[in-house]
Amino acid sequence: MKKITIWTLLCLLPVAGWAQKKGKKKAEPIMPMKEYVDALMSQMTLQEKIGQLNLQVAGDIVTGGAMNTDVGAKIAAGQMGGVFNLKGADKIRELQDIAVKQSRLGIPLIIGMDVIHGYETIFPIPLALSCSWDEQAVETAARIAAKEATADGINWTFSPMVDICVDARWGRTAESNGEDPYLGGLMGAAMVRGYEGISRGSDGTEVRGSENMLSCVKHYALYGAAEAGRDYNTVDMSRLRMFNQYFPPYKACAEAGAGSFMTSFNIVDGIPATANSWLINNVLRRQWGYDGLVVTDYGSIGEMLVHGVGGDLQGASAMALKAGTDMDMCAQGFLYTLEKSYNEGRITMEEIDDACRRVLEAKYKLGLFHDPYRYCDAKRRARDIFTAENRKAARDIAAETFVLLKNESPTSSPERGEKLLPLSPSGKIALIGPLANDRANLAGTWCVAYTPDRYLTLKEAMERRLAKSSMGDAAPRLLYAQGCNICHDEADQQAGEFGKNIPRVDGEQAKQEALRIAREADVIVCAMGETADMSGEAASRSRLEMPDAQRELMEELVRLGKPIVLLHFSGRATVLTWEQEHVDAILNVWFGGSETAEAICDVLFGEKSPSGRLTVTMPQSTGQVPLYYNHLNTGRPVAEGADKFFKYASNYLDVRNDALYPFGYGLSYTTFAYSDVRLSQSEMGVNGSLKATVTVSNTGNRDADEVVQLYIRDLQASISRPVKELKGFRRIHLKAGESREVTFSITRQQLFFYDGNGEEVLEPGDFDVMIGPNSRDVKAARFTLK
Ligand code: BGC
């Protein structure tokens, strides 16, 4: 067929969709999106439409060689709508060149990447980010990630991940916002806003700047409910639970204007999500009114056959298209079978057109039809990526995500009465642990484009910090020893490394070295826990305690009787029951991104007070999971805080029901006190509102942030409702000695629930309003909804 580009094509259109603006070199599309895409699609063959639905990884493309690859050839043949996970604006430009100059219609590619928590400036893992309870910070992190990624050619990220996770065994908890639907929705929406920066053009269409990119909400849906926390495993749940507990974050992101959604690997009601028409066509599109692009997860159309659904690739592909999926990531089922299915009458042209339209609309929204090279500005790399400004933001945000779990005066010197943290930068500090001198792991699990050589290790950052504060003879000294391996078993360690290797050491020799420096020191700081890839995709664990080799070393260090701090690295809720009992201070630092080491020093030495609060419940024992604060009550509950076993009640023989650290929990270097909850009235009409107020006081001697949390319980509904649900929070800054009133407004918005069809229901009856510093330590008041 004769080569014809969009540029010539659209200039010829009777509606004159393309105009040359005076003084500007490039033509600008003036047609609204729908007309533009209609005009383009009217020129497309069936094969070209199907080609747009194909998304593949770019492979190992080297600059100058793209055309010789399978991907290059497919792009030229119009068989590719987009590519992903290719780093480098030069390589991306080369692929875009092929699309624009060699394919018949010159339709530009959409360029994806898993930019999950930063590009080269890496932010904390999403679970950590959620622990900041700071939507603005999360939005900023996403905005900077978008600025860096778009400076390097990327215009589509596969983030945010908003799967609810209540089972800490599941490694992908690290990528999520934790267990709460309300908080998860807010954080997801903040990320969407940060990535997309949507504004409206004069005709009302969405406009994104060249520093913004399309987000992709994943994994739709319910992926976090994989049985037994084993990745990719079966999901089976009631519709009530879906609508009330698992769907809200996806819905919140759709409402925030997310440009795309990704289907999940799991089944929903027996049908793989990728081909589940109820999930995509009914709930997402009709019920929530979502009209953006839906892409599959990696190869998930092919995996339908392994689930035993769809028959063959052709059947699975047709089923996925009919269910409302638009783009096939990596299975190539759409590319190779949809034409045949169309010819056999198994799918319709309307279904193909709908999918193709959504892919083209995504490209239109990104401005790619205006300028296919919009994201390939070679000058931007030096200007926008890994800048001092971006790194400063990442460091500040990282410090906000650390959760102080314990801080006591050292058992070795209780008479001092002072809490162990912040550490005074004097004397000798023994820094011990396999994560103490590593740079790759601190960044976290998902960092495709990261540049770890430029990140500091904790040891390096502490040395610098201590050098700054050294004073002559009293100079502090940092002693360092790796001390142990991640775990005794080499294969287990490797399984959790995924390229971010930590050198194996001789266990006995390393231990002796650690004990030697610990004996010499005034305080021991352990940098221990998981490696970055012991969480994330395909990283489930069946035991959530500290890995054996590290725990054994800690036991020996504790026996020395010196003050001991645990800097605990993890990508999930873990079990720290032993550590809570034996260690003086525990700071959970997750994986804080490229600036982790500096951010830890900021908090460890007291420049900043820790203000992170858990967004996952931390159990006392792995056997308690799934464990989450917003559970239903059962007919035979055991009171919170009960300290013994009750026969014929809902509890365990060998562990109490309570969390070790509840949802919302986190200490500070100061202390806060809460007044009782005051309600503006004790009754409220269904269309009315009331106010709940507490006075929060900073009773310590440091200025600090507190996260004031509002929980609600519906006591008399037609279905069983959770014992507590987060419905609001406020992050406030209080000076030492300062008090402030915090007021929450309660309307139907905080009180309704969804029925099994996803309809909102508001029922009269009694409600408890609870406010406090975490989900356990709340003050309550009751009102009646009339
Ligand atoms: C993951 C997705 C990711 C995709 C593309 C899949 O294995 O489940 O979260 O976006 O790969 O890399």
Side-chain angles (χ1 to χ4, degrees):
M1 206 176 300
K2 195 170 164 296
K3 171 140 178 75
I4 170 173
T5 67
I6 325 177
W7 322 99
T8 48
L9 160 75
L10 291 173
C11 284
L12 296 174
L13 287 171
V15 280
W18 202 256
Q20 192 84 30
K21 269 208 180 158
K22 226 178 142 207
K24 288 205 176 171
K25 264 199 260 134
K26 195 161 279 295
E28 286 194 358
I30 55 164
M31 270 201 275
M33 184 167 74
K34 182 166 181 326
E35 284 84 331
Y36 184 90
V37 171
D38 278 347
L40 181 54
M41 281 178 58
S42 70
Q43 306 297 317
M44 292 173 80
T45 63
L46 172 63
Q47 293 78 7
E48 281 166 337
K49 289 176 184 171
I50 292 172
Q52 287 301 307
L53 315 185
N54 187 36
L55 173 71
Q56 286 182 225
V57 272
D60 49 358
I61 285 177
V62 286
T63 314
M67 192 55 211
N68 302 326
T69 62
D70 166 61
V71 165
K74 282 210 181 92
I75 296 171
Q79 293 181 329
M80 195 89 83
V83 296
F84 70 102
N85 284 359
L86 179 63
K87 188 178 178 189
D90 48 346
K91 296 178 197 166
I92 289 171
R93 176 176 276 274
E94 206 175 322
L95 290 185
Q96 202 64 291
D97 252 350
I98 300 175
V100 171
K101 296 180 184 154
Q102 300 195 37
S103 72
R104 188 182 74 95
L105 288 172
I107 299 175
L109 297 164
I110 187 168
I111 311 284
M113 184 184 272
D114 289 283
V115 181
I116 309 292
H117 49 108
Y119 187 71
E120 286 191 16
T121 301
I122 304 289
F123 289 86
I125 56 169
L127 177 62
L129 282 176
S130 71
C131 291
S132 72
W133 296 59
D134 185 343
E135 287 168 79
Q136 192 49 55
V138 170
E139 186 174 332
T140 301
R143 184 174 46 70
I144 292 174
K147 187 169 180 179
E148 291 199 359
T150 54
D152 220 11
I154 311 296
N155 50 46
W156 185 22
T157 177
F158 302 133
S159 169
M161 190 276 225
V162 294
D163 305 324
I164 292 293
C165 340
V166 296
D167 191 330
R169 291 171 295 184
W170 194 51
R172 301 200 79 170
T173 308
E175 300 173 54
S176 80
N177 295 305
E179 71 193 37
D180 188 68
Y182 170 74
L183 186 86
L186 290 181
M187 294 301 168
M191 284 190 180
V192 168
R193 289 196 301 274
Y195 290 133
E196 305 222 10
I198 300 169
S199 59
R200 297 271 160 194
S202 50
D203 60 355
T205 48
E206 293 172 6
V207 183
R208 287 162 182 81
S210 55
E211 294 182 354
N212 294 110
M213 56 184 170
L214 216 65
S215 65
C216 186
V217 181
K218 67 190 190 184
H219 305 84
Y220 188 69
L222 318 179
Y223 184 27
E227 274 178 9
R230 181 157 52 76
D231 209 357
Y232 317 121
N233 204 7
T234 302
V235 171
D236 195 6
M237 78 169 66
S238 72
R239 298 231 163 145
L240 267 182
R241 185 169 229 174
M242 290 184 200
F243 281 108
N244 287 290
Q245 194 179 354
Y246 282 77
F247 282 169
Y250 305 113
K251 183 166 184 277
C253 290
E255 285 165 1
S260 69
F261 264 64
M262 183 187 292
T263 63
S264 56
F265 288 125
N266 53 281
I267 57 166
V268 172
D269 275 344
I271 301 170
T274 294
N276 191 312
S277 182
W278 176 78
L279 202 60
I280 304 169
N281 283 330
N282 289 23
V283 178
L284 180 63
R285 296 216 191 277
R286 287 188 205 113
Q287 210 161 335
W288 300 346
Y290 182 72
D291 61 1
L293 169 66
V294 175
V295 63
T296 73
D297 201 347
Y298 201 111
S300 63
I301 293 181
E303 289 182 17
M304 285 174 62
L305 311 184
V306 193
H307 280 289
V309 178
D312 55 14
L313 190 61
Q314 184 186 355
S317 302
M319 201 173 153
L321 184 81
K322 290 182 102 53
T325 292
D326 305 316
M327 205 172 196
D328 169 2
M329 184 194 285
C330 294
Q332 300 192 71
F334 279 4
L335 184 68
Y336 292 127
T337 72
L338 286 189
E339 184 176 356
K340 183 160 184 273
S341 291
Y342 173 72
N343 291 334
E344 291 169 359
R346 292 167 75 169
I347 56 172
T348 64
M349 187 57 82
E350 199 187 342
E351 285 158 348
I352 295 172
D353 281 351
D354 282 348
C356 179
R357 167 179 299 284
R358 292 190 196 108
V359 174
L360 296 176
E361 286 184 352
K363 295 181 178 183
Y364 182 99
K365 290 175 189 167
L366 285 167
L368 289 169
F369 290 115
H370 168 207
D371 177 5
Y373 303 101
R374 194 176 186 213
Y375 303 94
C376 299
D377 176 352
K379 289 198 280 313
R380 279 190 57 196
R381 160 160 271 283
R383 196 178 69 210
D384 290 339
I385 297 179
F386 204 61
T387 61
E389 187 190 349
N390 295 354
R391 295 180 62 195
K392 162 89 172 57
R395 175 171 164 179
D396 288 345
I397 291 171
E400 274 191 29
T401 69
F402 302 155
V403 183
L404 183 63
L405 296 173
K406 181 179 180 191
N407 192 18
E408 296 295 331
S409 48
T411 33
S412 50
S413 54
E415 68 287 353
R416 267 175 64 218
E418 268 173 41
K419 310 274 189 208
L420 180 54
L421 294 182
L423 279 190
S424 97
S426 59
K428 283 187 190 162
I429 300 175
L431 175 66
I432 296 171
L435 289 147
N437 198 24
D438 175 84
R439 57 192 96 243
N441 282 277
L442 305 198
T445 178
W446 250 131
C447 20
V448 177
Y450 81 147
T451 49
D453 291 352
R454 294 197 281 176
Y455 311 156
L456 287 185
T457 72
L458 185 56
K459 172 174 172 277
E460 290 162 351
M462 282 176 76
E463 272 162 357
R464 286 189 191 186
R465 195 63 64 102
L466 294 176
K468 265 193 218 156
S469 57
S470 77
M471 293 163 297
D473 285 349
R477 286 190 49 209
L478 186 75
L479 311 172
Y480 159 76
Q482 178 172 330
C484 61
N485 291 304
I486 287 292
C487 53
H488 289 311
D489 189 279
E490 191 168 354
D492 281 358
Q493 177 167 335
Q494 274 168 4
E497 285 182 336
F498 208 58
K500 298 176 187 138
N501 299 349
I502 290 182
R504 292 286 294 180
V505 288
D506 176 299
E508 189 50 36
Q509 216 178 312
K511 182 173 83 183
Q512 292 311 330
E513 169 72 1
L515 290 172
R516 186 182 62 72
I517 65 157
R519 279 192 205 100
E520 225 187 288
D522 301 300
V523 58
I524 302 167
V525 175
C526 293
M528 295 186 179
E530 299 184 323
T531 50
D533 288 294
M534 283 171 73
S535 61
E537 187 169 354
S540 299
R541 290 180 70 193
S542 71
R543 288 183 296 268
L544 299 173
E545 292 80 10
M546 179 80 81
D548 51 12
Q550 298 181 73
R551 161 69 80 74
E552 286 167 23
L553 177 58
M554 282 193 79
E555 286 174 9
E556 301 253 8
L557 293 170
V558 162
R559 267 185 228 125
L560 299 179
K562 304 232 168 165
I564 178 161
V565 181
L566 169 62
L567 297 173
H568 185 247
F569 292 81
S570 77
R572 52 158 61 80
T574 51
V575 171
L576 294 175
T577 308
W578 182 89
E579 290 76 5
Q580 167 67 23
E581 210 174 307
H582 294 96
V583 171
D584 304 302
I586 307 174
L587 185 68
N588 216 73
V589 293
W590 314 107
F591 294 98
S594 53
E595 314 309 312
T596 300
E598 293 275 29
I600 288 178
C601 290
D602 292 342
V603 174
L604 193 64
F605 296 113
E607 272 163 47
K608 293 174 183 162
S609 180
S611 59
R613 304 290 184 260
L614 294 176
T615 58
V616 278
T617 300
M618 297 204 21
Q620 300 183 57
S621 149
T622 306
Q624 289 177 291
V625 300
L627 187 70
Y628 48 99
Y629 85 95
N630 50 352
H631 59 84
L632 305 180
N633 204 26
T634 84
R636 296 185 176 191
V638 168
E640 257 184 84
D643 61 357
K644 61 176 202 288
F645 168 74
F646 290 92
K647 191 72 180 164
Y648 301 116
S650 181
N651 60 165
Y652 299 95
L653 294 169
D654 52 359
V655 66
R656 303 287 65 84
N657 285 357
D658 299 315
L660 181 64
Y661 308 111
F663 175 87
Y665 177 84
L667 302 171
S668 162
Y669 289 159
T670 191
T671 45
F672 297 99
Y674 282 67
S675 72
D676 286 338
V677 177
R678 304 184 292 278
L679 296 183
S680 57
Q681 67 242 36
S682 57
E683 291 185 352
M684 173 183 146
V686 285
N687 294 317
S689 72
L690 65 77
K691 296 208 180 314
T693 304
V694 285
T695 306
V696 184
S697 308
N698 181 341
T699 49
N701 49 18
R702 278 190 67 121
D703 303 351
D705 282 7
E706 167 69 328
V707 180
V708 184
Q709 302 165 31
L710 166 78
Y711 297 87
I712 301 264
R713 177 172 184 186
D714 182 348
L715 291 142
Q716 297 161 329
S718 53
I719 59 166
S720 182
R721 302 286 296 125
V723 295
K724 263 167 212 166
E725 285 184 296
L726 182 75
K727 291 293 177 182
F729 61 88
R730 222 46 76 61
R731 196 184 163 98
I732 56 169
H733 185 78
L734 288 182
K735 293 200 177 333
E738 187 186 350
S739 292
R740 188 166 324 152
E741 281 200 344
V742 177
T743 298
F744 294 95
S745 188
I746 295 171
T747 64
R748 68 165 280 132
Q749 204 52 38
Q750 284 78 35
L751 306 178
F752 76 81
F753 60 83
Y754 291 103
D755 69 13
N757 297 317
E759 300 296 334
E760 291 181 12
V761 179
L762 183 63
E763 292 175 342
D766 289 347
F767 289 81
D768 278 343
V769 177
M770 293 158 273
I771 303 181
N774 60 61
S775 63
R776 181 187 61 201
D777 304 314
V778 291
K779 302 266 174 87
R782 186 165 295 181
F783 74 92
T784 306
L785 183 73
K786 292 279 182 188

